[in-house]
Amino acid sequence: MKITGFTGWLVETEPGPKFIWRDGLPGSHGDIPRGTKPRKAVIRMETDSGLVGAIEMGRGDAVIDLVRRRYNWFIGENPLLTERIWNLMWEIDRIEEVHMRSLGMLDMLCWDVKSQQAKMPIYQLLGGHDRVVPAYASTVTWPTMDEYERYIKMSRDLGFTAFKLHAWGDVKRDIALSTNLRKWVGPDADLMFDGSAGWDYVQALEFGKAIQDLGFLWYEEPMREFYLGAYAKLCDKLDIPVLAAETSDGVHWNMASWIEGKALDMTRVSTFYKGGFTGAMKIAHMSESFGMRAQVHGMGLENAQLCAAISNNDYYEQLIMNEEQIKGLDKLGPLSIVGGNLTVTDEPGLGYHYDWDALDKAALTKIEVTERLA
């Protein structure tokens, strides 16, 4: 099988619900200029077998530009050789500095085709562990304690038994919130806290000591992920597992440095920050060899397959935003949460289906790449 070309469409999409993150971070609509809509890229990979891979990505303008300038290099390559394709893309990253969210896009297009060719779901091709994955309710940041209580209890009543806080970024208030969370959901629920890299070492240590006494499962990304020494000191001082290396570049090579430096207790994997399925699996297996869990970060069709593929991940992450969205979580098709669980689809492929003619009509930009350049 050979790759024969790529087609890309830049299209406008509807913005999702408005929400905020911790103090200091832009909210969910912070990158949408007034009077405009978000833009996404839809990318199709064509092969001489007639099978096509399809995916959609945010940062649409940049994604279209990357495909236009660099994906010609893969014309004629066999998409079933995913390890080869991944390493060729890693070589391009050396000169391109591909955005983390785009590095694994080609890999996932290839796994889409590979899955269709094998007539098997991606998670089974990756190894396969369990298609029924418990989900945790991952909050956005609400302005008041009352809102946290309302939406967390609403999620609890729908069957969630695990909850993660994105909070305000104020140590004292966040300790009070974490203490209340344990009261709201009881002693048996798994709890997590995501600091969204908002603190320095002193703040991170103070907060970590507080929540470890509440029996939290993990303490996630309390500081920016640059100086591993600070993370190593934090891990040494705390009993609660520190989950880190979420946004650091370099895939498994970078993760090896974190593990070697004893700067985390659990690793973060995702298809969008860690180089697609191939990169994420490299991290998951390396983590397992060190006796570490590799917790899957984020939602979506791709990460659902990853969750079902590996044994050392605990949960699928599901954001909860407002009442309407929470009450509609059981109506999300292949990503529906029912009774606190996600049942990953057994259908081959990634699961993106498009009306190509409609995309032609709606596109702000369309590109076609059909020839490999010297």
Side-chain angles (χ1 to χ4, degrees):
M1 188 185 297
K2 292 183 179 180
I3 297 171
T4 57
F6 298 90
T7 307
W9 295 264
L10 179 66
V11 296
E12 288 186 330
T13 185
E14 294 300 320
K18 273 192 174 183
F19 59 84
I20 59 173
W21 296 117
R22 65 160 173 83
D23 185 40
L25 292 179
S28 61
H29 289 208
D31 61 342
I32 308 172
R34 189 167 309 209
T36 70
K37 292 183 177 181
R39 294 178 172 186
K40 70 179 180 182
V42 175
I43 305 298
R44 183 178 71 195
M45 181 181 72
E46 295 95 15
T47 71
D48 62 358
S49 71
L51 296 176
V52 301
I55 198 169
E56 62 182 47
M57 304 284 286
R59 303 183 71 254
D61 298 82
V63 169
I64 290 290
D65 180 64
L66 174 67
V67 174
R68 178 183 62 81
R69 293 186 298 105
R70 294 298 186 188
Y71 273 31
N72 71 86
W73 187 250
F74 299 94
I75 303 295
E77 291 287 340
N78 184 347
L80 304 182
L81 302 180
T82 46
E83 185 71 16
R84 172 179 170 80
I85 295 289
W86 195 92
N87 280 282
L88 289 173
M89 191 68 213
W90 180 252
E91 286 289 277
I92 287 177
D93 181 72
R94 169 63 183 81
I95 58 173
E96 187 70 25
E97 286 291 337
V98 176
H99 191 279
M100 290 172 67
R101 283 189 174 270
S102 305
L103 179 63
M105 181 172 69
L106 179 58
D107 176 76
M108 292 186 284
L109 286 166
C110 291
W111 278 101
D112 190 3
V113 168
K114 197 173 190 175
S115 173
Q116 294 175 59
Q117 173 76 3
K119 297 182 173 60
M120 293 172 60
I122 291 172
Y123 79 85
Q124 289 183 3
L125 292 180
L126 293 172
H129 176 62
D130 193 337
R131 67 184 292 234
V132 180
V133 184
Y136 68 84
S138 183
T139 76
V140 295
T141 300
W142 294 296
T144 67
M145 190 75 75
D146 287 345
E147 287 171 283
Y148 275 98
E149 181 176 8
R150 177 187 173 201
Y151 294 128
I152 286 167
K153 287 183 175 179
M154 186 181 299
S155 302
R156 178 201 61 190
D157 293 344
L158 290 176
F160 283 95
T161 60
F163 306 84
K164 188 176 82 176
L165 293 174
H166 293 92
W168 298 299
D170 178 292
V171 171
K172 303 303 182 188
R173 290 183 74 203
D174 290 358
I175 290 173
L177 173 60
S178 300
T179 303
N180 283 339
L181 174 61
R182 176 56 77 195
K183 294 175 183 176
W184 296 333
V185 298
D188 297 327
D190 275 342
L191 308 184
M192 309 85 155
F193 186 91
D194 189 341
S196 301
W199 290 326
D200 62 18
Y201 172 76
V202 173
Q203 293 166 313
L205 180 61
E206 179 186 356
F207 186 83
K209 285 182 175 180
I211 64 167
Q212 71 184 9
D213 294 335
L214 294 168
F216 272 52
L217 177 63
W218 75 60
Y219 181 23
E220 181 178 340
E221 198 190 6
M223 304 174 286
R224 290 297 297 273
E225 296 178 337
F226 293 103
Y227 179 47
L228 271 62
Y231 267 95
K233 283 198 303 178
L234 191 67
C235 289
D236 185 58
K237 294 290 186 182
L238 296 177
D239 294 327
I240 184 174
V242 174
L243 174 61
E246 176 178 307
T247 60
S248 53
D249 203 350
V251 198
H252 54 297
W253 290 289
N254 174 266
M255 193 64 76
S257 296
W258 281 81
I259 294 174
E260 183 181 43
K262 299 180 180 179
L264 44 63
D265 302 296
M266 296 180 181
T267 65
R268 239 347 184 174
V269 291
S270 65
T271 54
F272 52 80
Y273 278 164
K274 302 302 182 185
F277 293 116
T278 299
M281 292 301 292
K282 290 175 185 289
I283 292 173
H285 289 154
M286 179 175 64
S287 303
E288 186 178 33
S289 71
F290 282 90
M292 289 184 172
R293 300 183 192 182
Q295 304 291 359
V296 177
H297 168 226
M299 303 184 293
L301 295 168
E302 299 87 351
N303 281 331
Q305 295 288 331
L306 182 60
C307 284
I310 62 178
S311 62
N312 54 336
N313 168 69
D314 287 309
Y315 289 102
Y316 173 80
E317 181 172 13
Q318 176 60 58
L319 277 182
I320 55 172
M321 306 176 196
N322 57 42
E323 181 174 352
E324 180 182 9
Q325 182 259 348
I326 292 168
K327 289 184 175 179
L329 291 177
D330 62 345
K331 302 175 181 66
L332 299 178
L335 295 177
S336 294
I337 309 294
V338 179
N341 293 316
L342 169 71
T343 301
V344 178
T345 178
D346 264 335
E347 292 296 316
L350 280 175
Y352 291 103
H353 304 289
Y354 299 99
D355 181 331
W356 306 117
D357 291 335
L359 277 176
D360 281 343
K361 294 175 182 177
L364 304 173
T365 302
K366 179 182 178 181
I367 60 160
E368 296 178 285
V369 178
T370 57
E371 181 183 4
R372 178 167 177 158
L373 304 178

